[in-house]
Amino acid sequence: MAAEIQPKPLTRKPILLQRMEGSQEVVNMAVIVPKEEGVISVSEDRTVRVWLKRDSGQYWPSIYHAMPSPCSCMSFNPETRRLSIGLDNGTISVSCFLFSWFSAHQSRVTMILFVLELEWVLSTGQDKQFAWHCSESGQRLGGYRTSAVASGLQFDVETRHVFIGDHSGQVTILKLEQENCTLVTTFRGHTGGVTALCWDPVQRVLFSGSSDHSVIMWDIGGRKGTAIELQGHNDKVQALSYAQHTRQLISCGGDGGIVVWNMDVERQETPEWLDSDSCQKCDQPFFWNFKQMWDSKKIGLRQHHCRKCGKAVCGKCSSKRSSIPLMGFEFEVRVCDSCHEAITDEERAPTATFHDSKHNIVHVHFDATRGWLLTSGTDKVIKLWDMTPVVS
């Protein structure tokens, strides 16, 4: 009797719907126009383009506007169709394509947010300044000097808290009033600069991506100081988006990877690394422990740390590798031999899916109603993806 042929499992991956090319320089940001077959992009070539879907099924730039300086960032409000654009010369344009201008920074605008409820425009610049202006008059309402150039900006309308991530790896939280601000706190968890922020106002958690290849989830609302690390990129994380309805985080990076994280699981904090002068498993001295080396007549060993328990161990006692997805380690990392034996196959089950966009992503925009993801890259290309096979 012939053996029964088992069907191969279907590979669930994003579907590339559209590839848009036309900009002469890097597309710094692009957004999907809700409820329409349209995309808006801003580029280093000073252009603002509106791409509309033609009868052929292709997206073509139907509106083209040249700005006086390279377009570094933008914020689009779908309710009012108001487009706020930050420029390389430090000015901001707020418009419905009837441009009004005001000077916001002394140099390139790095991030911009339009807050409809307050009629505020929030922005950061390479001048290490965070500022907020009245969107109707352009009047500067207040400012704050950051410790380094900011590259991440998020705002919570309910509490009027603004989150600023900068190149030093620090995240600053400010409480904004009409014409002044108060420093709430600062925190640091990355070993590299913060490159992207994403705020979930429902669960009240903040996600930060970094040049250290990691993402950290900060529990802001729980006030417990919980910080969950997510390790799933081989290059710097450059863009984040969060699907609230499915509790999935989308992170994209310089490696071209699109990683979809399931945040609806009980994740664990990574342990602090313990200090010790000798291996906490076999008691062999580390190479700086001269006294124990002399007393035991043994050569000192290099120190490592188990990613699961945090103990300081030698290479012989941590010869195994394992993924620990609930701790955010989707790739195999160093663990001590005893922790390796204790990790079950169920605990090694992945909590993220990995997909290749085939371009260096600098910005993403997610349309939750249709499950579409827009990625823009350093290759001057915009790609539109159907994410419903993986974000559901």
Side-chain angles (χ1 to χ4, degrees):
M1 183 177 177
E4 183 179 353
I5 300 176
Q6 295 294 329
K8 293 182 179 180
L10 295 175
T11 302
R12 301 174 67 85
K13 60 181 182 180
I15 301 168
L16 181 60
L17 299 175
Q18 194 72 221
R19 176 188 172 96
M20 289 165 259
E21 294 184 70
S23 296
Q24 301 302 310
E25 294 292 342
V26 175
V27 179
N28 285 317
M29 285 191 180
V31 297
I32 301 167
V33 181
K35 302 178 183 178
E36 290 188 19
E37 302 283 353
V39 169
I40 303 174
S41 67
V42 296
S43 171
E44 283 291 323
D45 61 11
R46 301 190 298 114
T47 63
V48 182
R49 302 172 191 240
V50 179
W51 307 71
L52 297 178
K53 190 175 183 180
R54 305 293 179 85
D55 293 339
S56 64
Q58 296 295 312
Y59 283 73
W60 291 97
S62 302
I63 300 175
Y64 174 102
H65 188 90
M67 304 294 276
S69 181
C71 306
S72 54
C73 54
M74 72 169 172
S75 177
F76 178 68
N77 182 266
E79 298 177 40
T80 62
R81 294 182 174 265
R82 202 177 307 183
L83 185 65
S84 306
I85 304 171
L87 302 183
D88 187 66
N89 62 10
T91 61
I92 289 176
S93 166
V94 181
S95 72
C96 297
F97 282 95
L98 294 173
F99 291 94
S100 59
W101 307 85
F102 57 86
S103 179
H105 296 276
Q106 298 298 314
S107 56
R108 184 182 178 94
V109 181
T110 55
M111 293 298 295
I112 187 171
L113 284 177
F114 170 64
V115 184
L116 175 62
E117 294 84 351
L118 301 168
E119 286 292 343
W120 286 354
V121 176
L122 316 180
S123 63
T124 58
Q126 285 190 342
D127 56 2
K128 299 182 182 179
Q129 287 286 333
F130 161 73
W132 68 105
H133 292 75
C134 173
S135 62
E136 296 174 319
S137 66
Q139 177 187 354
R140 181 184 174 97
L141 300 175
Y144 181 86
R145 184 167 181 82
T146 56
S147 59
V149 175
S151 48
L153 182 64
Q154 292 286 285
F155 184 70
D156 182 60
V157 176
E158 182 182 345
T159 62
R160 295 193 181 185
H161 284 160
V162 64
F163 307 94
I164 306 167
D166 63 44
H167 286 176
S168 73
Q170 180 174 286
V171 177
T172 302
I173 303 180
L174 303 174
K175 174 68 177 292
L176 300 189
E177 302 297 343
Q178 185 63 29
E179 296 182 356
N180 60 74
C181 67
T182 305
L183 176 63
V184 177
T185 188
T186 60
F187 48 89
R188 186 190 299 268
H190 292 287
T191 57
V194 175
T195 51
L197 292 179
C198 184
W199 170 245
D200 174 18
V202 178
Q203 301 294 326
R204 306 200 67 74
V205 295
L206 180 73
F207 299 96
S208 60
S210 171
S211 58
D212 65 9
H213 308 179
S214 73
V215 178
I216 297 181
M217 183 186 79
W218 307 89
D219 180 13
I220 304 297
R223 301 183 184 278
K224 297 178 181 178
T226 304
I228 304 296
E229 292 186 45
L230 304 174
Q231 303 278 353
H233 286 276
N234 294 311
D235 203 337
K236 59 183 176 181
V237 179
Q238 300 193 126
L240 298 171
S241 187
Y242 186 67
Q244 293 181 3
H245 61 298
T246 61
R247 295 196 65 184
Q248 287 173 288
L249 176 71
I250 303 171
S251 62
C252 302
D255 55 1
I258 301 176
V259 184
V260 181
W261 304 86
N262 178 14
M263 303 309 299
D264 198 23
V265 294
E266 192 66 34
R267 294 188 176 271
Q268 305 167 19
E269 279 192 287
T270 52
E272 291 188 15
W273 286 3
L274 302 177
D275 293 325
S276 178
D277 291 328
S278 58
C279 176
Q280 294 181 299
K281 293 293 182 179
C282 68
D283 202 38
Q284 287 270 50
F286 293 133
F287 64 82
W288 61 83
N289 189 351
F290 298 111
K291 183 178 185 305
Q292 188 175 346
M293 286 165 53
W294 177 265
D295 292 343
S296 62
K297 301 296 188 290
K298 292 179 180 179
I299 298 175
L301 303 175
R302 182 184 174 188
Q303 183 191 56
H304 301 282
H305 283 92
C306 173
R307 298 318 192 257
K308 184 168 175 59
C309 67
K311 289 184 178 180
V313 290
C314 66
K316 185 178 179 180
C317 294
S318 59
S319 60
K320 306 291 179 59
R321 302 290 184 274
S322 176
S323 60
I324 321 174
L326 293 181
M327 282 188 169
F329 297 113
E330 293 289 335
F331 303 151
E332 290 191 343
V333 290
R334 181 185 295 273
V335 292
C336 65
D337 292 351
S338 56
C339 282
H340 186 272
E341 293 176 4
I343 300 173
T344 65
D345 290 340
E346 289 77 9
E347 290 177 312
R348 291 190 177 94
T351 62
T353 58
F354 300 83
H355 316 279
D356 187 8
S357 70
K358 301 190 185 302
H359 70 155
N360 182 339
I361 298 172
V362 295
H363 183 258
V364 299
H365 178 243
F366 183 64
D367 182 353
T369 58
R370 287 177 283 189
W372 288 0
L373 182 74
L374 197 68
T375 61
S376 50
T378 56
D379 55 2
K380 311 171 189 177
V381 174
I382 304 170
K383 293 184 179 182
L384 181 63
W385 306 84
D386 179 4
M387 297 295 292
T388 53
V390 292
V391 180
S392 60

